[in-house]
């Protein structure tokens, strides 16, 4: 069943709606963005969707798997994705973009976060300095190939995320509702490498996207919004359609 990440969540209500309808990952943006969230609200979301007694041990994923240097890329990313799903609750992910490591580590501790998403041009090696599993974005533009440097490096990021490169957006990438060619993503699944896919997804097209690209998971932000606010009906429809595909 397809993993679903609802990103750009800024309210407890939206987070609870996502969690109650089966979202696997709830993303909160800590980089400059119209969807920027403050620490106190993120902490309220964490309290609302993560049971107080739950042990936060997602960080063990990378610590354990980094020792398996002989794993191939398909084996490594499959093992990472399986461990992430073993927690049985929505994971909280903080999205950062070309920000200082100290800032990222501070937010991880304060919220606290289960995952970090590096959505800029950070080197893949940065993931080794972060104490929770890392989702690393690779922006799909006209010159993109799946052999892009760092994509299949093991022992760093735990999850590959493909998102559309939007040249007009400049440094602020992500959340623009622009699609890329899904057959590019399909070339990853043909290699048996699990990955997340974002970029212009919505309740209306996620079924087709999953069938074409066969991703491990899908990631949505603007596609479940109305007037720039998360829409409960769209969140529910997106999750249902993605998991039914």
């Amino acid at each position: 069943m397809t993993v679903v990440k609802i990103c750009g969540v800024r309210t407890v209500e939206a987070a609870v709606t996502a969690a109650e309808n089966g979202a696997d990952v709830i993303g909160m943006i800590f980089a400059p963005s119209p969807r920027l969230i403050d620490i106190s609200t993120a902490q309220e979301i964490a309290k609302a969707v993560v049971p107080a007694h739950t042990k936060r041990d997602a960080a063990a994923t990378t610590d354990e798997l980094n020792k398996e240097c002989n794993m191939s890329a398909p084996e490594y990313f499959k093992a990472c994705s399986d461990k992430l799903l073993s927690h049985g609750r929505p994971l909280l992910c903080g999205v950062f973009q070309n920000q200082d490591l100290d800032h990222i580590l501070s937010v991880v501790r304060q919220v606290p976060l289960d995952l970090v998403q590096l959505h800029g041009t950070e080197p893949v090696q940065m993931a080794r300095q972060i104490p929770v599993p890392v989702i690393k974005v690779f922006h799909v533009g006209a010159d993109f190939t799946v052999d892009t440097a760092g994509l299949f490096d093991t022992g760093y990021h735990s999850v590959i995320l493909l998102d559309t490169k939007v040249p007009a957006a400049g440094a602020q990438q992500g959340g623009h509702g622009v699609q890329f060619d899904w057959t590019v993503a399909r070339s990853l699944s043909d290699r048996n490498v699990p990955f997340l896919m974002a970029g212009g997804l919505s309740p209306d097209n996620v079924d087709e996207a999953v069938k074409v690209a066969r991703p491990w998971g899908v990631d949505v932000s603007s596609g479940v919004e109305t007037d720039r606010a998360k829409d409960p009906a769209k969140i529910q429809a997106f999750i249902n359609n993605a998991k039914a595909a």
Side-chain angles (χ1 to χ4, degrees):
M1 188 175 291
T2 308
V3 166
V4 174
K5 175 172 174 279
I6 304 295
C7 201
V9 172
R10 291 180 290 165
T11 67
V12 170
E13 292 76 17
V16 170
T17 296
E20 289 181 344
N21 283 281
D24 302 283
V25 183
I26 295 171
M28 298 175 287
I29 298 176
F30 296 94
S33 165
R35 301 179 182 89
L36 177 67
I37 192 171
D38 59 74
I39 294 293
S40 61
T41 303
Q43 291 172 330
E44 291 175 7
I45 287 173
K47 291 176 182 176
V49 301
V50 180
H53 64 276
T54 300
K55 181 181 178 182
R56 292 178 176 273
D57 56 356
T61 302
T62 47
D63 290 340
E64 295 168 5
L65 294 173
N66 284 347
K67 299 173 185 177
E68 302 293 339
C69 298
N70 59 339
M71 279 187 174
S72 67
E75 291 171 334
Y76 175 79
F77 290 111
K78 174 67 164 56
C80 286
S81 59
D82 287 347
K83 278 191 171 292
L84 290 177
L85 291 182
S86 69
H87 290 81
R89 63 167 175 83
L91 299 177
L92 299 180
C93 178
V95 180
F96 303 87
Q97 187 165 313
N98 300 326
Q99 290 162 282
D100 291 340
L101 178 63
D102 287 345
H103 172 66
I104 295 172
L105 298 181
S106 175
V107 176
V108 169
R109 289 191 299 267
Q110 289 182 74
V111 175
L113 298 173
D114 300 301
L115 301 167
V116 160
Q117 179 173 314
L118 297 178
H119 208 80
T121 56
E122 304 89 352
V124 296
Q125 293 81 3
M126 188 178 185
R128 279 282 185 94
Q129 300 173 280
I130 298 172
V132 296
V134 169
I135 299 171
K136 180 70 181 87
V137 73
F138 293 86
H139 293 109
V140 181
D143 58 349
F144 178 86
T145 71
V146 293
D147 296 310
T148 296
L151 187 71
F152 297 128
D153 287 359
T154 61
Y156 299 106
H157 50 285
S158 297
V159 180
I160 296 166
L161 169 63
L162 299 183
D163 196 4
T164 311
K165 183 176 182 178
V166 183
Q172 187 182 308
Q173 294 291 316
H176 297 289
V178 179
Q179 292 180 28
F180 64 87
D181 182 355
W182 295 333
T183 61
V184 173
R186 176 62 177 263
S187 63
L188 263 184
S189 58
D190 286 344
R191 297 188 186 196
N192 296 315
V193 176
F195 64 95
L196 275 171
M197 184 173 77
L201 299 179
S202 71
D204 295 329
N205 66 14
V206 68
D207 176 84
E208 181 184 1
V210 170
K211 290 177 179 176
V212 172
R214 297 192 306 183
W216 171 70
V218 288
D219 186 342
V220 66
S221 183
S222 61
V224 291
E225 292 179 348
T226 298
D227 297 329
R228 297 190 176 185
K230 288 292 183 282
D231 185 320
K234 289 182 179 179
I235 290 174
Q236 181 178 16
F238 184 89
I239 294 171
N240 289 345
N241 293 348
K243 290 188 176 293

